[in-house]
């Protein structure tokens, strides 16, 4: 099953009349290729979020019961934000947008791998810490010996645990309230400037949001940028950039951060993409 870490509804904003976008990829370190591709062929990995089988859940539960639900609701929010003029969001729609923005920091293949590795390290710390006291803390349902306990747990348990915490990462009430309350601004660019691009890492972000100049920026279409900031003055500074400077800065992050693909409506920025593709991939958040 294809699991889209960049949702199809989002990619469709860059599709032309043929319902395709230009998809740049780097199959080898020294080769960049481009072809027109459907959104369904872009920004996915097969069974990326598949969880080891559990009695109470389908292996595909996170994709089918959580992400698809989130993406379907966010698609409606994006319709309102991309309207001309943009339509106001209600409280629930602001919350949906916050969860979606939060999800974009966690749902990439690299982030998932980082969380699994972090989970494995934390699990090992716990396992090591209870070796000498296992007999005193075990319950009647636990394996008889520490050795039996270790043998009963494997990588699938850790993998399942990581997938299980994803919804809580995305929907943290405390973080969600902060994001809901952030000042927001939509910035449109004129036709004479290049368009915003998209990639597998389209969310521009500072090192923390509750800091001086802290902000998120996300192109929601080739001509419209959503900016969320800790302080209104940061929105003013970003808005005061010339359209060409703004697009260049946004696209530099998007293209340089790319690991898997860069998307565009046409090939007018071909040289820009080829010169910068994947030159500065951002490290995944590991906690």
């Amino acid at each position: 099953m294809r699991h889209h870490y960049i949702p199809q509804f989002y990619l469709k904003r860059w599709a032309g009349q043929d319902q395709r976008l230009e998809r740049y990829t780097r199959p080898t370190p020294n080769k960049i290729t481009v072809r027109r591709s459907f959104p369904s062929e872009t920004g996915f990995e097969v069974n990326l979020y598949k969880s080891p089988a559990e009695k109470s859940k389908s292996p595909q539960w996170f994709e089918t019961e959580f992400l698809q639900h989130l993406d379907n609701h966010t698609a409606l929010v994006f319709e309102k934000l991309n309207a001309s003029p943009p339509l106001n969001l209600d409280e629930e729609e602001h919350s949906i947008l916050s969860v979606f923005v939060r999800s974009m920091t966690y749902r990439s293949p690299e982030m998932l791998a980082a969380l699994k590795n972090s989970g494995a390290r934390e699990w090992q710390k716990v396992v090591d810490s209870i070796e000498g006291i296992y007999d005193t803390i075990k319950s009647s349902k636990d394996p008889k010996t520490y050795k039996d306990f270790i043998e009963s747990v494997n990588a699938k348990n850790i993998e399942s645990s990581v997938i299980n915490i994803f919804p809580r990462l995305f929907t943290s009430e405390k973080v969600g309230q902060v994001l809901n309350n952030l000042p927001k601004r939509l910035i449109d660019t004129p036709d004479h400037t290049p368009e915003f691009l998209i990639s597998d890492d389209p969310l521009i972000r500072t090192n923390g949001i509750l800091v001086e100049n802290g902000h998120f920026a996300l192109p929601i279409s080739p001509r419209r940028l959503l900016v969320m900031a800790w302080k209104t003055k940061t929105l003013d500074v970003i808005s005061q950039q010339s359209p060409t400077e703004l697009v260049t800065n946004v696209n530099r992050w998007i293209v340089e951060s790319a690991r898997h693909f860069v998307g565009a409506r046409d090939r007018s920025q071909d040289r820009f993409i080829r010169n910068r593709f994947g030159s500065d991939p951002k490290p995944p958040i590991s906690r």
Side-chain angles (χ1 to χ4, degrees):
M1 183 177 185
R2 291 181 177 182
H3 293 173
H4 280 82
Y5 48 88
I6 302 296
Q8 292 186 68
F9 83 83
Y10 185 26
L11 291 163
K12 286 177 181 177
R13 293 283 171 184
W14 277 261
Q17 292 185 346
D18 61 354
Q19 300 182 10
R20 295 175 171 90
L21 68 156
E22 300 290 348
R23 184 186 66 179
Y24 288 80
T25 57
R26 188 169 59 185
T28 62
N30 297 317
K31 181 180 181 181
I32 293 175
T33 63
V34 58
R35 65 184 290 265
R36 289 197 69 76
S37 304
F38 289 106
S40 61
E41 302 171 322
T42 307
F44 75 91
E45 187 171 304
V46 173
N47 290 332
L48 176 61
Y49 310 115
K50 184 178 179 181
S51 178
E54 298 181 40
K55 291 181 179 179
S56 59
K57 294 179 180 178
S58 159
Q60 304 286 355
W61 73 269
F62 183 62
E63 171 68 17
T64 59
E65 298 176 26
F66 186 86
L67 284 181
Q68 288 182 10
H69 182 78
L70 171 62
D71 292 345
N72 289 342
H73 281 78
T74 308
L76 301 177
V77 172
F78 270 43
E79 288 290 341
K80 297 183 76 169
L81 293 177
N82 278 303
S84 297
L87 302 176
N88 292 329
L89 303 183
D90 60 28
E91 185 176 344
E92 181 180 1
E93 289 166 333
H94 274 291
S95 294
I96 291 169
L97 180 62
S98 295
V99 174
F100 179 75
V101 169
R102 179 78 167 157
S103 80
M104 294 301 286
T105 66
Y106 283 104
R107 60 196 287 181
S108 71
E110 288 69 32
M111 184 63 226
L112 183 59
L115 283 174
K116 287 179 180 179
N117 289 335
S118 177
R121 290 193 299 271
E122 291 303 313
W123 172 254
Q124 191 59 53
K125 288 180 182 178
V126 172
V127 167
D128 292 343
S129 70
I130 67 171
E131 182 175 5
I133 59 173
Y134 180 77
D135 288 341
T136 62
I137 64 172
K138 68 180 180 180
S139 71
S140 59
K141 296 180 181 180
D142 290 326
K144 285 186 176 183
T145 67
Y146 175 78
K147 181 180 178 182
D148 292 338
F149 168 70
I150 294 298
E151 291 177 350
S152 71
V153 180
N154 55 40
K156 289 186 177 181
N157 297 97
I158 298 172
E159 187 173 347
S160 179
S161 296
V162 169
I163 297 296
N164 283 333
I165 67 169
F166 258 41
R168 295 198 297 276
L169 287 174
F170 294 0
T171 60
S172 164
E173 185 174 350
K174 183 178 180 180
V175 175
Q177 196 58 55
V178 170
L179 296 182
N180 286 357
N181 294 335
L182 291 178
K184 300 175 181 66
R185 190 169 298 174
L186 294 171
I187 304 175
D188 291 336
T189 58
D191 290 342
H192 68 268
T193 60
E195 294 184 339
F196 293 119
L197 301 169
I198 190 171
S199 77
D200 52 88
D201 190 1
L203 181 67
I204 298 166
R205 53 201 181 270
T206 50
N207 186 19
I209 190 67
L210 305 184
V211 296
E212 192 69 22
N213 301 320
H215 67 277
F216 292 122
L218 182 72
I220 59 173
S221 76
R223 288 287 175 203
R224 184 165 289 175
L225 181 72
L226 168 68
V227 186
M228 310 164 66
W230 175 231
K231 296 182 178 179
T232 302
K233 68 178 183 179
T234 302
L235 297 180
D236 295 335
V237 170
I238 294 172
S239 299
Q240 288 164 8
Q241 295 180 55
S242 72
T244 299
E245 181 184 13
L246 176 65
V247 172
T248 299
N249 288 336
V250 169
N251 284 349
R252 183 178 292 118
W253 170 289
I254 287 172
V255 176
E256 291 180 355
S257 299
R259 287 181 169 89
H260 304 284
F261 79 93
V262 172
R265 269 209 292 209
D266 55 41
R267 300 187 184 183
S268 60
Q269 299 184 73
D270 185 87
R271 178 176 293 181
F272 181 94
I273 295 170
R274 291 180 182 276
N275 287 344
R276 294 169 175 80
F277 190 113
S279 61
D280 184 25
K282 308 305 183 290
I285 303 169
S286 59
R287 62 182 185 277

